[in-house]
Amino acid sequence: MEVSREEAAEAGAAAAAAAEQYLATVKAVPIFQGAEARVYECKFLGRPAIVKYRFSKKYRHPVLDEKLTGRRLVQEGRAMGRCRKAGIAAPLVYAVDVGRSLLVMEKIEGFTSKLCIDTDAAPWQEHTLILADAIGVLLARLHSMDMVHGDLTTSNIFVRGPLPAPPAHAHRPPPDASPEAIRSMLLSTFQVVPIDFGLSFTSTMVEDKAVDLYVLERAFISSHAHSEELFARVLEAYGKESKKSRAVLKRLEAVRARGRKKLAFG
């Protein structure tokens, strides 16, 4: 049966109210808002958790908005599940609530790669180069399973290791997260954990994987001064880890050329 615009809008408003009620019930604390969702910190069955609420877009037709939101929510949960099955340390999904547009997942106790890199500077020290190697291996493993992240930045790759947990989802370091402490962590045992799979998708195309790398390269350039050598280490590790890397890295050169042309001519 076809749903009218008015009926869809009413259903969307009811779902939004139900989501807000849930967030109030679990005493969720807002920590970040993006273009597509708001992110909260809370407890889920006694465990530290992150709740992602995909809010409605008023400019979209209510029926289309409901379908797109539900599809992306399920897709994000499945992407993290696929990663974990493949041995990649993605957040554990606790619940997917399509009706209220909520995704509840494990809270990663760690620091963003951006924060870790920001404690160093070129010429890069050994521990930062080790982190770059780990990021390259992570991306190679994602692409080997034909998963394209879609929004790679150093803020969307966490580092989990033997350090005290930072507050508010690691956007600000605690007093004891000194450069020396982070260096010690990166020289010991640590994991790189990809987060925010909201734009991820499955693809066997070399172009999609090359664009994924290009997005991360632009993030390195914009976020970290003199990071060319550091990103070169990422690509070197990527090439060594993936048997299919040669075609992707070759296509990356073409993607870069298109990017330079766009910057030059608009």
Side-chain angles (χ1 to χ4, degrees):
M1 185 176 66
E2 187 175 343
V3 179
S4 69
R5 184 188 186 99
E6 291 73 19
E7 289 173 330
E10 288 178 7
E20 294 295 342
Q21 183 178 7
Y22 172 81
L23 293 169
T25 300
V26 298
K27 299 179 180 178
V29 178
I31 56 175
F32 177 76
Q33 174 162 338
E36 298 287 334
R38 285 193 288 270
V39 180
Y40 300 81
E41 188 173 346
C42 70
K43 293 282 187 179
F44 183 81
L45 300 179
R47 293 172 288 189
I50 295 296
V51 181
K52 188 172 187 177
Y53 169 49
R54 282 187 168 271
F55 47 80
S56 176
K57 295 296 188 69
K58 302 300 182 184
Y59 61 82
R60 286 198 297 234
H61 189 286
V63 176
L64 176 62
D65 183 71
E66 182 183 0
K67 289 181 179 179
L68 286 177
T69 301
R71 185 183 305 162
R72 288 175 180 171
L73 199 72
V74 171
Q75 182 175 300
E76 185 170 3
R78 284 177 177 169
M80 287 187 281
R82 282 188 62 209
C83 283
R84 292 184 65 86
K85 286 183 180 179
I88 296 172
L92 175 62
V93 177
Y94 293 148
V96 179
D97 188 337
V98 175
R100 292 184 286 193
S101 302
L102 297 172
L103 178 64
V104 188
M105 69 195 89
E106 170 191 13
K107 179 189 175 186
I108 301 301
E109 303 286 3
F111 302 90
T112 63
S113 295
K114 182 181 186 303
L115 188 153
C116 294
I117 294 171
D118 284 345
T119 62
D120 196 7
W124 305 101
Q125 298 181 48
E126 180 187 3
H127 65 284
T128 309
L129 295 173
I130 289 173
L131 174 57
D133 291 340
I135 292 172
V137 171
L138 168 67
L139 301 186
R141 294 181 66 190
L142 282 174
H143 288 175
S144 293
M145 55 189 286
D146 293 329
M147 179 173 293
V148 176
H149 185 278
D151 190 22
L152 285 171
T153 68
T154 49
S155 294
N156 281 344
I157 302 174
F158 264 63
V159 180
R160 177 163 58 188
L163 272 181
H169 207 47
H171 288 296
R172 289 188 299 273
D176 50 2
S178 62
E180 293 74 20
I182 287 177
R183 179 178 182 276
S184 177
M185 175 185 69
L186 294 174
L187 289 174
S188 61
T189 302
F190 70 93
Q191 288 181 314
V192 282
V193 184
I195 65 166
D196 197 357
F197 286 83
L199 297 178
S200 66
F201 59 96
T202 300
S203 175
T204 60
M205 295 182 64
V206 170
E207 173 79 9
D208 291 334
K209 296 171 185 178
V211 170
D212 218 24
L213 293 180
Y214 182 69
V215 169
L216 181 60
E217 182 176 38
R218 298 307 303 174
F220 263 81
I221 291 170
S222 63
S223 300
H224 309 289
H226 311 295
S227 58
E228 294 81 3
E229 178 194 358
L230 201 59
F231 191 71
R233 280 289 289 251
V234 172
L235 294 183
E236 182 181 352
Y238 179 91
K240 290 178 180 178
E241 180 70 16
S242 173
K243 296 179 181 178
K244 302 177 182 178
S245 63
R246 181 175 297 182
V248 177
L249 295 175
K250 184 177 180 180
R251 184 62 64 89
L252 176 60
E253 291 299 325
V255 174
R256 283 169 169 165
R258 294 203 305 267
R260 288 192 293 268
K261 184 176 180 180
K262 184 176 182 180
L263 287 173
F265 299 103

